[in-house]
Amino acid sequence: MGTPLDPRTTQTAEVIDRLSEAYPDATISLDFSTRFELLVAVVLSAQCTDERVNKITPELFAEFPTPDAFAQADPETVAERINSCTYYNNKAEYLVGIGEILTEEYDGEVPATMDGLTALPGVGRKTSNVVLQHAHDTTEGIVVDTHVQRLSQRLGLTEETNPEKIEADLMDLVPESDWKPVTHWLIAHGRAVCTAQSPSCEECLLADICPAERE
């Protein structure tokens, strides 16, 4: 963790105490029933809301239930099925490519390592962290999505703008036992109160310790 002299250490501890109490049941909001479904859903969720992804995936999984099904699919067909999602053409290519690699190299299974996951098309560290945590029960880092990035900056936990550098800062400040849930606490607060455009600072349980609110 950060050094005792680093004011961010105390700030982080207070943020965690308050958010963990306010959102004790916060967890992943994507719908999935298998490791592969989770991987697909997280790929689709890039720059797209989880709510939108959850509307797309039931029919998508019914038509393409396995990596092999995606491997044999025409990317244009997949794109048609996910066209209400952002960047659907790119994501269709990713899903077909992922299906091919999982079928050919992993016997249809989802890799259980960071290196294996980040080698897949369209899969970066954030996606890999989600899959490791929720599909393999392995925590190697902290998931930094747009909510986590925004709140970490507003709360003075980091001055970085690159997600991987933000993750490194948070991993230094947050106890390892909280690496998984801290993402969900921050996301829950980001959705409910500390929104991107119109944060409800007057209703915020962190207002008295938030540098952004005092600016």
Side-chain angles (χ1 to χ4, degrees):
M1 294 182 62
T3 66
L5 297 178
D6 187 342
R8 296 180 304 164
T9 303
T10 303
Q11 175 80 340
T12 302
E14 187 64 27
V15 168
I16 288 174
D17 283 347
R18 297 188 191 187
L19 293 186
S20 62
E21 183 176 351
Y23 307 101
D25 300 319
T27 189
I28 189 169
S29 55
L30 290 169
D31 296 335
F32 65 96
S33 58
T34 68
R35 290 169 175 168
F36 179 63
E37 287 185 359
L38 174 61
L39 175 58
V40 171
V42 182
V43 169
L44 292 176
S45 71
Q47 304 299 314
C48 186
T49 65
D50 290 356
E51 181 181 11
R52 168 57 56 187
V53 173
N54 288 338
K55 291 180 180 179
I56 294 171
T57 50
E59 290 186 6
L60 185 68
F61 294 153
E63 186 171 356
F64 305 104
T66 64
D68 186 56
F70 273 104
Q72 298 186 46
D74 180 350
E76 291 186 4
T77 299
V78 177
E80 290 175 3
R81 303 297 186 268
I82 63 172
N83 65 9
S84 62
C85 188
T86 53
Y87 307 110
Y88 58 89
N89 285 319
N90 289 339
K91 291 176 181 178
E93 295 280 356
Y94 295 154
L95 294 179
V96 172
I98 288 171
E100 291 171 348
I101 293 173
L102 296 191
T103 300
E104 295 170 5
E105 300 181 19
Y106 292 95
D107 196 28
E109 298 297 322
V110 175
T113 66
M114 181 67 72
D115 288 344
L117 286 164
T118 54
L120 299 174
V123 177
R125 185 172 173 89
K126 184 195 81 171
T127 296
S128 298
N129 270 323
V130 175
V131 174
L132 287 174
Q133 291 178 11
H134 294 278
H136 294 292
D137 199 25
T138 300
T139 301
E140 293 190 14
I142 295 174
V143 177
V144 178
D145 76 341
T146 56
H147 295 288
V148 174
Q149 178 171 337
R150 180 175 72 254
L151 268 68
S152 296
Q153 293 167 337
R154 286 179 177 174
L155 290 167
L157 307 185
T158 183
E159 295 181 354
E160 301 291 348
T161 57
N162 177 277
E164 291 193 11
K165 291 183 178 179
I166 292 172
E167 181 187 7
D169 277 351
L170 294 179
M171 288 171 67
D172 188 46
L173 293 166
V174 177
E176 189 170 352
S177 59
D178 290 330
W179 284 3
K180 181 177 178 179
V182 72
T183 291
H184 302 302
W185 297 330
L186 289 168
I187 289 174
H189 195 60
R191 288 173 173 164
V193 179
C194 193
T195 58
Q197 300 301 324
S198 302
S200 301
C201 297
E202 68 281 359
E203 301 174 9
C204 183
L205 56 87
L206 301 172
D208 63 307
I209 61 169
C210 180
E213 199 278 336
R214 294 195 295 269
E215 289 179 356

